[in-house]
Amino acid sequence: MTVKEFYDAIGSDYNAALSRLMDDAFITKLLGKFKADHNYADLVAAMDAGDGKAAFVAAHTLKGLALNMGLDSLGNVASELTEALRGDAPDVEKGKTLLPAVVTEYKKVDDALKQLLP
């Protein structure tokens, strides 16, 4: 799988990512680091524990990583979750309704990464 095919597979804009991240080699390097990142696992664990503040930190970081790398669908659903968890009284119940979309988009990215970075 090429980097362009990766972005096509996840429904994101390869050209936008390329314009921001310069070349396929750099994108591939960053995607390798994304694959090793712990924030998705931290988010799921925090939501399972009902810890809205820890879930907010993980969701916010995941959102930033995703959007900076052009993983638009994942970044957008992580952004919605981040907003539900923002503030002194995170809405964990609303977060639980939004989490499945994050899981779905993360799985889509992870599946494509397995093809791009065997």
mmCIF file of all heavy atoms in Angstrom, residues 3 5 14 32 51 53 62-63 65 76 80 88-89 98 114:
data_model
loop_
_atom_site.group_PDB
_atom_site.id
_atom_site.type_symbol
_atom_site.label_atom_id
_atom_site.label_comp_id
_atom_site.label_asym_id
_atom_site.label_seq_id
_atom_site.Cartn_x
_atom_site.Cartn_y
_atom_site.Cartn_z
ATOM 1 N N VAL A 3 1.355 5.501 0.481
ATOM 2 C CA VAL A 3 0.838 6.487 1.428
ATOM 3 C C VAL A 3 -0.463 7.080 0.902
ATOM 4 O O VAL A 3 -1.429 7.250 1.651
ATOM 5 C CB VAL A 3 1.890 7.580 1.721
ATOM 6 C CG1 VAL A 3 1.302 8.676 2.590
ATOM 7 C CG2 VAL A 3 3.113 6.973 2.377
ATOM 8 N N GLU A 5 -2.630 5.610 -1.055
ATOM 9 C CA GLU A 5 -3.663 4.581 -0.891
ATOM 10 C C GLU A 5 -4.108 4.477 0.567
ATOM 11 O O GLU A 5 -5.283 4.243 0.846
ATOM 12 C CB GLU A 5 -3.150 3.230 -1.390
ATOM 13 C CG GLU A 5 -2.994 3.178 -2.892
ATOM 14 C CD GLU A 5 -2.217 1.955 -3.372
ATOM 15 O OE1 GLU A 5 -1.443 1.355 -2.595
ATOM 16 O OE2 GLU A 5 -2.378 1.612 -4.566
ATOM 17 N N TYR A 14 -5.097 12.988 1.044
ATOM 18 C CA TYR A 14 -3.654 12.786 0.911
ATOM 19 C C TYR A 14 -2.941 14.085 0.563
ATOM 20 O O TYR A 14 -1.900 14.415 1.138
ATOM 21 C CB TYR A 14 -3.378 11.720 -0.153
ATOM 22 C CG TYR A 14 -1.936 11.661 -0.599
ATOM 23 C CD1 TYR A 14 -0.955 11.117 0.236
ATOM 24 C CD2 TYR A 14 -1.543 12.147 -1.841
ATOM 25 C CE1 TYR A 14 0.375 11.057 -0.157
ATOM 26 C CE2 TYR A 14 -0.221 12.086 -2.244
ATOM 27 C CZ TYR A 14 0.733 11.548 -1.401
ATOM 28 O OH TYR A 14 2.049 11.495 -1.790
ATOM 29 N N GLY A 32 4.336 5.749 11.675
ATOM 30 C CA GLY A 32 4.938 4.720 12.514
ATOM 31 C C GLY A 32 4.914 5.114 13.983
ATOM 32 O O GLY A 32 4.633 4.293 14.863
ATOM 33 N N ASP A 51 -13.200 7.756 34.252
ATOM 34 C CA ASP A 51 -12.326 8.878 34.597
ATOM 35 C C ASP A 51 -12.359 9.910 33.468
ATOM 36 O O ASP A 51 -11.564 9.858 32.522
ATOM 37 C CB ASP A 51 -10.906 8.364 34.835
ATOM 38 C CG ASP A 51 -9.954 9.447 35.321
ATOM 39 O OD1 ASP A 51 -10.273 10.650 35.200
ATOM 40 O OD2 ASP A 51 -8.863 9.083 35.802
ATOM 41 N N LYS A 53 -11.593 13.095 33.369
ATOM 42 C CA LYS A 53 -10.448 13.999 33.215
ATOM 43 C C LYS A 53 -9.292 13.315 32.474
ATOM 44 O O LYS A 53 -8.694 13.907 31.582
ATOM 45 C CB LYS A 53 -10.005 14.533 34.561
ATOM 46 C CG LYS A 53 -11.044 15.490 35.127
ATOM 47 C CD LYS A 53 -10.617 16.151 36.398
ATOM 48 C CE LYS A 53 -11.755 17.062 36.848
ATOM 49 N NZ LYS A 53 -11.373 17.999 37.855
ATOM 50 N N LEU A 62 -5.083 12.639 21.254
ATOM 51 C CA LEU A 62 -5.388 11.840 20.068
ATOM 52 C C LEU A 62 -5.940 12.720 18.953
ATOM 53 O O LEU A 62 -5.552 12.591 17.797
ATOM 54 C CB LEU A 62 -6.377 10.723 20.426
ATOM 55 C CG LEU A 62 -6.765 9.784 19.293
ATOM 56 C CD1 LEU A 62 -5.559 8.999 18.793
ATOM 57 C CD2 LEU A 62 -7.858 8.825 19.774
ATOM 58 N N LYS A 63 -6.829 13.629 19.309
ATOM 59 C CA LYS A 63 -7.395 14.564 18.329
ATOM 60 C C LYS A 63 -6.300 15.367 17.650
ATOM 61 O O LYS A 63 -6.247 15.474 16.425
ATOM 62 C CB LYS A 63 -8.388 15.515 19.014
ATOM 63 C CG LYS A 63 -8.850 16.663 18.128
ATOM 64 C CD LYS A 63 -9.539 17.745 18.915
ATOM 65 C CE LYS A 63 -8.509 18.624 19.568
ATOM 66 N NZ LYS A 63 -9.005 19.901 20.048
ATOM 67 N N LEU A 65 -3.031 14.775 17.421
ATOM 68 C CA LEU A 65 -2.181 13.919 16.589
ATOM 69 C C LEU A 65 -2.869 13.603 15.263
ATOM 70 O O LEU A 65 -2.268 13.707 14.195
ATOM 71 C CB LEU A 65 -1.863 12.611 17.319
ATOM 72 C CG LEU A 65 -0.927 12.699 18.521
ATOM 73 C CD1 LEU A 65 -0.911 11.367 19.270
ATOM 74 C CD2 LEU A 65 0.469 13.077 18.076
ATOM 75 N N ASN A 76 -11.835 14.248 13.794
ATOM 76 C CA ASN A 76 -13.135 14.889 13.992
ATOM 77 C C ASN A 76 -13.954 14.220 15.082
ATOM 78 O O ASN A 76 -14.555 14.898 15.919
ATOM 79 C CB ASN A 76 -13.912 14.921 12.675
ATOM 80 C CG ASN A 76 -13.283 15.861 11.672
ATOM 81 O OD1 ASN A 76 -12.573 16.801 12.026
ATOM 82 N ND2 ASN A 76 -13.511 15.620 10.397
ATOM 83 N N GLU A 80 -15.101 15.722 18.883
ATOM 84 C CA GLU A 80 -16.426 15.713 19.516
ATOM 85 C C GLU A 80 -16.349 15.144 20.924
ATOM 86 O O GLU A 80 -16.961 15.678 21.856
ATOM 87 C CB GLU A 80 -17.407 14.891 18.679
ATOM 88 C CG GLU A 80 -17.812 15.530 17.374
ATOM 89 C CD GLU A 80 -18.790 14.654 16.606
ATOM 90 O OE1 GLU A 80 -19.777 14.204 17.218
ATOM 91 O OE2 GLU A 80 -18.543 14.420 15.415
ATOM 92 N N ASP A 88 -14.552 21.210 34.130
ATOM 93 C CA ASP A 88 -14.449 20.658 35.483
ATOM 94 C C ASP A 88 -15.383 19.487 35.728
ATOM 95 O O ASP A 88 -15.153 18.705 36.646
ATOM 96 C CB ASP A 88 -14.730 21.758 36.512
ATOM 97 C CG ASP A 88 -13.629 22.816 36.531
ATOM 98 O OD1 ASP A 88 -12.477 22.478 36.198
ATOM 99 O OD2 ASP A 88 -13.934 23.964 36.886
ATOM 100 N N ALA A 89 -16.444 19.397 34.934
ATOM 101 C CA ALA A 89 -17.401 18.301 35.109
ATOM 102 C C ALA A 89 -17.579 17.580 33.776
ATOM 103 O O ALA A 89 -18.570 17.780 33.066
ATOM 104 C CB ALA A 89 -18.736 18.840 35.611
ATOM 105 N N LEU A 98 -20.222 8.731 22.478
ATOM 106 C CA LEU A 98 -19.350 9.179 21.389
ATOM 107 C C LEU A 98 -18.153 8.252 21.166
ATOM 108 O O LEU A 98 -17.586 8.233 20.070
ATOM 109 C CB LEU A 98 -18.852 10.599 21.666
ATOM 110 C CG LEU A 98 -19.933 11.681 21.730
ATOM 111 C CD1 LEU A 98 -19.345 12.991 22.233
ATOM 112 C CD2 LEU A 98 -20.592 11.861 20.377
ATOM 113 N N LYS A 114 -1.617 -1.256 9.215
ATOM 114 C CA LYS A 114 -1.072 -2.623 9.132
ATOM 115 C C LYS A 114 -0.712 -2.985 7.696
ATOM 116 O O LYS A 114 0.210 -3.763 7.462
ATOM 117 C CB LYS A 114 -2.064 -3.630 9.710
ATOM 118 C CG LYS A 114 -2.157 -3.541 11.220
ATOM 119 C CD LYS A 114 -3.241 -4.462 11.766
ATOM 120 C CE LYS A 114 -3.358 -4.278 13.270
ATOM 121 N NZ LYS A 114 -4.546 -4.919 13.809
#
